[in-house]
Amino acid sequence: MLELLNDLLWGKVLIAVLITLGLWFTIASRFVQFRYFGQMFKILGSKQAFKHEQQGHLSSFQALLLSVAGRVGGGNIAGVAVAITLGGPGAIFWMWVIGLMGMATSYFECTLAQTFKKAEPDGTYRGGPAYYIRRGLGKQWQWLAALYSVLLLVTFGFGFTAMQSYSVATSFEDAFGIPTYYTGIALALIVGLIIFGGVKRIAKVSEVLVPVMALGYLGITLVVLGLNIERIPDVIVLIVNSAFGLNPAIGGGIGAAILMGVKRGLFSNEAGLGSAPNVAAVAYVPHPANQGIVQAFSVFIDTLILCSCTAFIILLSGIYDPATIAEQGGVALTQSALADHVGEWGRMFVSIALLLFGFSTILYNYYLGENSLNFFSEENQNLFNAFRVAIICLCCWGAIMDLGTVFAFADVTMGLLALANLLALALLFKTGLRVMRDYEQQLKEGIETPLFDICKFSDLNIDPAAWDQSVAPQNTTDERSADHTAKATS
């Protein structure tokens, strides 16, 4: 039954929906992900990107790193290897396509998450698809918000947490000979120490961990590219030819390439799943579009950069052979490929990278689960503590269990999660465009840092407490002072 549902969701429905909506969002927004590519760096390079302490937010930069911590996980190492094994090199091309379109999808889901975020009594903020469904679509869609929250909890809070623990533990056993239960116990202890400190502690850990793991993995890939620089054009041609079925002997043809590219691409970058908006909503920004632009960049980092790193490590290696590749798929393939380039220590490097990627993703998954529970019960600390204990137990259990059924179940719930969020995005797309145009209009007027004035959006169910403490008041005061000076001069 799970196999049948997976085939229906991923082989037919989601491919059509993701590509259709990705193209719609891209064209209707006039290619927002490309137009604002430079703006991504400008926002992240500003002082505003690091402001957060006054209001209990995360900073825009912290929210970016936390979302990258979640996007960058086993999918970037094991998932890419599986995509190449089952779909051929052409799957990488379709991962790139789904990533580029996913940047637009991520822009709108994260902009909407900021727009409809909710102020908490302790000065922090909550948000995400469940919140923009309830506030943006109204009470008649409350069932969809509740369904989304349940699916998010089951998929990320439970299923993917066990999966990450399993991937890390089996990789360490292969590289270092460490029994899986030892790795599971150690992972559980460290995760427990962090998650009981709440989202701020998770963000502070991610702020250090994510740049180290991403730059380290990028660095080893640059070494591999340097060692094989003359073969890079051939690999690019191989990827493109395989994507369109021009190399029928490789992989499963164009159908398998598209299927695995879309499935593994979405699993890796999560654009359209609605997971990243849960983090994007708590960022301290002057305008919702700011975080939409920043989160679009996190999809680029994940799919266009880090997934490509794994693809080139595998395809440039001497062990890549379409006839025998199925014998060592997943992490083992990536480990063998890097070992072929740099020696046996390459296996250990992949295991350590997977540990860091998986560890950061477990922290991210925990926060998504907590956000789901908060939607149903805002101040039940006993419930939150019970969930934290469950996460710790899952780290141990996942490391030692055969999780084939869990993986299949998580694939189904992830597909349903994507459909629920994409339906909400389609219904709220005009609202997202309206917020985007407000941001663009202010830029055209020469305003360097556009501000979100909720008075312009009084017809929307926006929480005033979530915006009246933002950076707007300080700028408003400056504007009033300038206006007063102008009147006095007149």
Side-chain angles (χ1 to χ4, degrees), residues 168-178 180 331-332 335-336 347 351:
V168 171
T170 52
S171 173
F172 258 58
E173 184 178 45
D174 180 68
F176 302 105
I178 299 173
T180 53
V331 177
Q335 288 176 318
S336 298
R347 294 181 188 275
S351 292

Side-chain angles (χ1 to χ4, degrees), residues 129-348:
Y131 293 84
Y132 60 64
I133 291 171
R134 181 167 64 182
R135 287 185 165 272
L137 295 178
K139 291 183 178 180
Q140 67 271 30
W141 291 93
Q142 178 78 11
W143 64 271
L144 184 61
L147 175 63
Y148 181 88
S149 291
V150 171
L151 289 171
L152 185 68
L153 177 63
V154 170
T155 306
F156 284 88
F158 296 126
F160 287 173
T161 296
M163 185 180 68
Q164 292 294 340
S165 178
Y166 173 82
S167 298
V168 171
T170 52
S171 173
F172 258 58
E173 184 178 45
D174 180 68
F176 302 105
I178 299 173
T180 53
Y181 53 86
Y182 285 152
T183 303
I185 292 170
L187 198 59
L189 289 173
I190 299 171
V191 167
L193 289 173
I194 295 171
I195 63 177
F196 273 93
V199 67
K200 281 206 163 188
R201 187 178 295 175
I202 295 172
K204 286 179 180 178
V205 171
S206 299
E207 203 167 15
V208 175
L209 187 62
V210 171
V212 170
M213 69 185 193
L215 292 175
Y217 199 60
L218 180 60
I220 196 68
T221 304
L222 292 175
V223 171
V224 170
L225 293 176
L227 293 172
N228 300 273
I229 193 166
E230 72 285 350
R231 295 181 53 214
I232 294 174
D234 294 335
V235 169
I236 294 174
V237 170
L238 174 67
I239 290 172
V240 174
N241 285 345
S242 178
F244 295 97
L246 301 179
N247 291 325
I250 297 177
I254 185 172
I258 295 174
L259 173 62
M260 292 310 301
V262 172
K263 188 175 181 179
R264 292 300 108 192
L266 179 60
F267 174 78
S268 178
N269 65 49
E270 300 179 11
L273 284 182
S275 52
N278 290 273
V279 176
V282 300
Y284 182 86
V285 294
H287 196 285
N290 276 64
Q291 200 60 20
I293 293 168
V294 167
Q295 291 298 331
F297 185 54
S298 72
V299 175
F300 182 86
I301 293 171
D302 175 89
T303 307
L304 277 298
I305 297 178
L306 294 176
C307 283
S308 298
C309 287
T310 300
F312 279 98
I313 287 172
I314 293 172
L315 296 175
L316 287 169
S317 71
I319 63 104
Y320 174 69
D321 182 356
T324 61
I325 193 174
E327 297 174 7
Q328 51 173 347
V331 177
L333 175 60
T334 308
Q335 288 176 318
S336 298
L338 189 56
D340 181 70
H341 291 296
V342 300
E344 280 303 306
W345 67 269
R347 294 181 188 275
M348 300 179 185

Side-chain angles (χ1 to χ4, degrees), residues 14-30:
L14 273 172
I15 288 179
V17 173
L18 277 170
I19 293 176
T20 301
L21 289 183
L23 285 172
W24 176 27
F25 294 166
T26 297
I27 295 170
S29 66
R30 295 178 295 116

Side-chain angles (χ1 to χ4, degrees), residues 33-50 60-61 64 103 290 293-298 300-301 305 439:
Q33 67 269 51
F34 303 122
R35 288 191 296 115
Y36 282 135
F37 193 78
Q39 188 76 1
M40 299 173 189
F41 298 96
K42 184 177 179 181
I43 291 172
L44 290 172
S46 67
K47 292 180 180 179
Q48 190 65 49
F50 299 90
S60 181
F61 184 69
L64 169 67
M103 289 174 71
N290 276 64
I293 293 168
V294 167
Q295 291 298 331
F297 185 54
S298 72
F300 182 86
I301 293 171
I305 297 178
Y439 181 83

Side-chain angles (χ1 to χ4, degrees), residues 395-417:
C395 289
C396 293
W397 178 73
I400 61 174
M401 296 299 291
D402 179 5
L403 298 176
T405 303
V406 175
F407 291 177
F409 180 72
D411 268 350
V412 171
T413 57
M414 181 172 70
L416 296 173
L417 189 74

